[in-house]
Amino acid sequence: MLIFKYFVSVTGVVGRAELLSSVFVLLTILLYQRSVQTSSYVALILAMLSVSCAMLCKEQGITVLAILVIYEVFLVQKMMSSPSLLQFWSKKISWAFSLRLLTVICTGALLLLLRFLIMGHTLPVFTNFDNPASYAQAPAKQLTYAYLLAVNAWLLLAPAQLLCDWTMGTVPLVLTLADPRNLATLVLIVILGNLAFNSLFAKGQQRRLQKGLILALALLAFPFVPASNLFFPVGFVVAERVLYIPSMGFCLLVSLGWKRLYSHHKTTASMGLIILLGLFSFKTLHRNGEWSDEFSLFESGLKVTQNNAKLINNLGHVLESRGDYQAALKYFSKAIQVQPDDMGGHINVGRIYNHLKLYPEAEEAYLNAKSLLPESRPGKSYQARVAPNHLNVFLNLATLIAQNESRLEEADQLYRQAISMRSDYTQAYINRGEILLRLNRTKEAREVYQKALGFENDNPDLLYNMGVLALSQGQHSEAMAYLNKALEQDPDHYQALLNSAILIQESGSSHLNHVAQERLLRIVKRGGKKNCNERVYFNLGMLAMDQKDLASAEHWFRQAIEVKPDFRSGLFNLALLLSESDHALEAEPFLWQLLSYYPGHIKGLILLGDLYVNLRGDLPAADKCSRRILAIDP
């Protein structure tokens, strides 16, 4: 129970990947132990498979192999009882020991090679906001990395101030040796050094604790190595989730210490355990409450630090999703004050100004964000250093500028800049193609789309745009082919479903009407009334008319004008349908609705006049309709 409470307190909410990885880590140790005790090769093979599963769940799972080596050499082969390393290796080495050790080493090498191949022979690249120390110069980099070990150790020892995100300025860099935080690093080194010395060179009564101490230190240290920046920089400053497996070793250390304390001071040890359980139980409940929703989680983070712009931005995102743009703007602006060189913060401010229709302010914010990008140079690729979400500034700024028809060339230039900085930036190609179409440069638009398809030939938006382009050039069969390809990649692509259905209807291919109907009904089913365009319902109504299903046609026309009360075609066709039914007078209010929006709708006036003559016998009213028609079109 103590271990479980401690795990939950340290990690806040246990990540599923970390949890599953640690289950496989424990399973690996148990299987390896069984293979040692029974000389079972099956158990050894299962242990290696378990290691593979642990690594696939979370990379740090592979570190259990180092723990197995420590277990084999120190606990099974009892190297710790040998007077010297030389005497240990001079002993007769068993075949079983050699086989187990060779299996562990080969498995580790194979898994590392597999991981290297999956990563494409390159390490992931992170920005200076993710891990500021990785961009610092010596000695700040080394001092900060060392101090972060002490920060993680303190989180294990006293998980009081927990934080969902430790990036950016949460932990300021340790710039010089004079920084007092170096004392924490020194204390940690002394403590770990003392524990390591005692585990290797214990004497007397302490030898009984030696095995547990060695295993505890191995479980504590090795799983943390991938997150320590020792071999390569990682994409975070501190991450509580990576402490899940190391906390197992820490709990073993706590239990060993408590056992020694209990042997000398039973009352003190018992009371301490009760207090510890009480405190961690309370902390668990409190932390679970903070994880109840995004806003409370990020807000709790601001109680720990005010220097993390990412946390502040996240609060702004939550408020933005709720539609509270003024409050979101407050947080985004604060994030910029905390981290003025954070491009994402300026983009967020610009987007909120755009929502508030403060377009000049939005453009200024986007320009501020753009100024933080490296200067583009011909022939130079910035893929490795410019994140795609940062390049969104070009898309946002160009979209804003493109609202003004006189600035379309300027918007096109921005998209070209984005493409020059990241040649495979598909969304920039899509947006640029749309601008070129608005500029009537269809040939260039086609070239842009085709180049984008070279990078991402399964992008449904690209395929849809190619279909629209072909349709604008009168190439209906080619357009339908592209729209169908888009739907192969994304069966729920709204625009492809709608436009392909309309194209089928307009082509007069009545044998394909059932396909058009299926696609329109899919939109209705997936989108719901709020997300459906009035054209969806209208075209379903027209298909029902073709099938002589007048009841369904009436239903769909009514749905169309419910979505858009001034929908001209929907109002007229519904009125026409009703005028030819048994309740023809129900057409009258829809005709008046049509004429209130479109007073010059001649067909509507003719139909209304027809109702007055044939159903109401109101010749003066019919005469007024005729005079209005003649006034519009003599």
Side-chain angles (χ1 to χ4, degrees):
M1 179 61 71
L2 169 62
I3 292 177
F4 175 75
K5 292 287 186 185
Y6 200 91
F7 285 170
V8 176
S9 296
V10 168
T11 57
V13 171
V14 178
R16 287 172 294 179
E18 284 77 12
L19 177 60
L20 197 56
S21 180
S22 24
V23 167
F24 281 115
V25 165
L26 290 173
L27 182 61
T28 300
I29 294 172
L30 292 173
L31 286 168
Y32 190 84
Q33 185 182 39
R34 183 169 181 79
S35 74
V36 170
Q37 293 170 347
T38 64
S39 298
S40 169
Y41 297 122
V42 174
L44 182 62
I45 293 171
L46 289 175
M48 297 304 102
L49 289 174
S50 183
V51 172
S52 305
C53 293
M55 192 196 77
L56 290 172
C57 295
K58 207 67 182 176
E59 290 86 346
Q60 66 180 146
I62 196 175
T63 58
V64 71
L65 293 173
I67 298 170
L68 296 183
V69 172
I70 296 297
Y71 172 77
E72 178 71 52
V73 173
F74 286 92
L75 275 68
V76 179
Q77 303 301 322
K78 295 183 173 56
M79 175 183 170
M80 57 188 178
S81 62
S82 300
S84 70
L85 186 65
L86 183 62
Q87 288 184 24
F88 168 76
W89 288 109
S90 65
K91 293 195 309 182
K92 185 177 180 181
I93 303 299
S94 69
W95 167 251
F97 164 66
S98 302
L99 179 63
R100 287 194 299 269
L101 203 60
L102 184 63
T103 302
V104 168
I105 292 170
C106 291
T107 300
L110 186 63
L111 289 175
L112 286 174
L113 178 62
L114 178 64
R115 179 63 177 155
F116 187 65
L117 292 173
I118 291 173
M119 292 173 64
H121 309 284
T122 58
L123 289 172
V125 176
F126 305 105
T127 67
N128 62 316
F129 302 120
D130 299 319
N131 188 350
S134 64
Y135 283 78
Q137 300 298 318
K141 175 188 286 189
Q142 291 74 22
L143 292 174
T144 304
Y145 281 164
Y147 173 66
L148 290 178
L149 299 177
V151 172
N152 281 280
W154 182 251
L155 282 173
L156 286 171
L157 183 64
Q161 291 188 316
L162 298 177
L163 193 58
C164 61
D165 188 283
W166 290 81
T167 54
M168 291 193 164
T170 306
V171 181
L173 297 178
V174 181
L175 298 175
T176 65
L177 288 169
D179 194 310
R181 289 176 293 173
N182 289 315
L183 291 174
T185 306
L186 187 60
V187 168
L188 178 65
I189 292 171
V190 170
I191 292 173
L192 290 178
N194 183 54
L195 288 171
F197 181 83
N198 284 321
S199 67
L200 294 173
F201 305 105
K203 294 180 180 179
Q205 293 182 347
Q206 292 184 355
R207 292 183 70 87
R208 284 181 289 179
L209 298 173
Q210 199 172 13
K211 288 185 178 181
L213 192 55
I214 287 175
L215 189 58
L217 288 174
L219 268 169
L220 176 67
F222 287 113
F224 185 73
V225 168
S228 66
N229 296 284
L230 181 62
F231 297 112
F232 48 81
V234 294
F236 52 84
V237 178
V238 175
E240 293 159 10
R241 65 185 182 275
V242 302
L243 293 176
Y244 190 80
I245 299 176
S247 65
M248 298 178 190
F250 185 78
C251 287
L252 281 176
L253 284 176
V254 171
S255 64
L256 290 171
W258 184 84
K259 184 178 179 181
R260 291 197 63 185
L261 180 63
Y262 184 79
S263 64
H264 295 91
H265 306 283
K266 288 185 172 67
T267 304
T268 303
S270 299
M271 289 299 296
L273 180 60
I274 292 170
I275 293 171
L276 190 66
L277 282 171
L279 286 173
F280 285 172
S281 298
F282 174 78
K283 179 62 177 177
T284 300
L285 292 172
H286 178 69
R287 188 62 174 159
N288 286 344
E290 291 177 337
W291 276 84
S292 61
D293 60 64
E294 286 185 320
F295 189 83
S296 62
L297 175 63
F298 298 139
E299 194 175 38
S300 70
L302 292 185
K303 297 174 184 175
V304 178
T305 178
Q306 292 285 327
N307 298 323
N308 189 328
K310 187 175 179 180
L311 271 178
I312 302 169
N313 274 319
N314 284 342
L315 277 166
H317 287 307
V318 174
L319 291 166
E320 182 184 3
S321 67
R322 295 176 181 176
D324 191 350
Y325 297 130
Q326 291 291 350
L329 180 61
K330 177 184 174 184
Y331 279 105
F332 288 143
S333 300
K334 183 180 178 182
I336 290 175
Q337 293 172 3
V338 171
Q339 194 82 40
D341 59 344
D342 178 23
M343 192 186 311
H346 291 282
I347 293 173
N348 291 335
V349 170
R351 190 177 60 255
I352 292 298
Y353 277 134
N354 198 29
H355 283 308
L356 295 172
K357 302 189 186 306
L358 299 172
Y359 300 124
E361 291 84 350
E363 184 173 346
E364 183 182 356
Y366 288 142
L367 288 172
N368 288 335
K370 182 173 173 287
S371 68
L372 296 171
L373 283 168
E375 291 292 329
S376 60
R377 289 173 287 178
K380 295 288 183 179
S381 172
Y382 289 84
Q383 269 183 261
R385 292 297 172 189
V386 180
N389 62 320
H390 285 169
L391 288 179
N392 283 343
V393 65
F394 289 103
L395 272 61
N396 294 347
L397 181 57
T399 301
L400 180 65
I401 288 173
Q403 293 178 15
N404 186 341
E405 290 292 326
S406 65
R407 301 181 70 183
L408 292 179
E409 290 286 357
E410 194 177 339
D412 180 47
Q413 179 61 30
L414 286 167
Y415 290 129
R416 290 168 64 187
Q417 273 186 269
I419 292 167
S420 72
M421 299 185 78
R422 188 178 176 94
S423 61
D424 62 346
Y425 194 18
T426 309
Q427 193 58 48
Y429 286 104
I430 293 174
N431 288 21
R432 187 181 175 221
E434 291 171 359
I435 291 294
L436 291 171
L437 285 176
R438 289 171 64 182
L439 289 167
N440 293 320
R441 290 154 60 180
T442 54
K443 184 179 178 181
E444 286 183 67
R446 177 179 286 272
E447 291 172 357
V448 167
Y449 287 146
Q450 286 175 337
K451 189 170 183 180
L453 284 171
F455 296 111
E456 202 172 334
N457 62 7
D458 59 350
N459 186 307
D461 292 328
L462 264 175
L463 294 166
Y464 166 74
N465 282 10
M466 283 295 288
V468 172
L469 181 60
L471 191 60
S472 69
Q473 296 176 334
Q475 300 168 345
H476 291 184
S477 58
E478 184 181 350
M480 181 58 71
Y482 277 115
L483 293 175
N484 286 335
K485 284 182 182 178
L487 290 173
E488 286 175 12
Q489 302 303 325
D490 180 7
D492 294 322
H493 194 285
Y494 183 96
Q495 292 295 339
L497 286 168
L498 177 58
N499 283 279
S500 61
I502 293 173
L503 185 56
I504 289 171
Q505 288 177 269
E506 292 179 348
S507 66
S509 305
S510 56
H511 64 286
L512 292 176
N513 278 354
H514 68 283
V515 176
Q517 188 175 39
E518 287 172 5
R519 293 181 178 182
L520 293 171
L521 287 172
R522 187 178 185 88
I523 295 175
V524 174
K525 182 180 177 181
R526 297 286 179 177
K529 189 177 293 186
K530 290 183 179 179
N531 298 318
C532 274
N533 187 293
E534 68 279 358
R535 293 288 301 176
V536 175
Y537 296 118
F538 177 74
N539 282 71
L540 279 168
M542 295 303 291
L543 286 168
M545 290 282 286
D546 292 340
Q547 297 166 2
K548 309 300 181 184
D549 186 354
L550 303 184
S552 294
E554 180 184 343
H555 167 74
W556 293 123
F557 289 146
R558 287 180 182 272
Q559 292 287 328
I561 61 174
E562 188 176 331
V563 172
K564 188 179 182 185
D566 62 342
F567 184 30
R568 181 170 178 161
S569 298
L571 287 165
F572 178 73
N573 279 275
L574 177 58
L576 183 62
L577 175 64
L578 290 170
S579 70
E580 296 173 355
S581 68
D582 295 334
H583 40 282
L585 285 176
E586 289 185 18
E588 187 177 348
F590 293 106
L591 288 170
W592 280 115
Q593 186 176 341
L594 172 67
L595 293 170
S596 68
Y597 291 112
Y598 309 100
H601 197 288
I602 293 177
K603 289 184 178 180
L605 287 167
I606 291 173
L607 186 55
L608 183 61
D610 184 60
L611 289 177
Y612 283 140
V613 171
N614 295 312
L615 295 177
R616 291 198 178 277
D618 189 347
L619 298 181
D623 183 56
K624 286 183 180 179
C625 290
S626 300
R627 292 180 182 278
R628 285 180 62 185
I629 293 168
L630 291 172
I632 295 166
D633 186 358

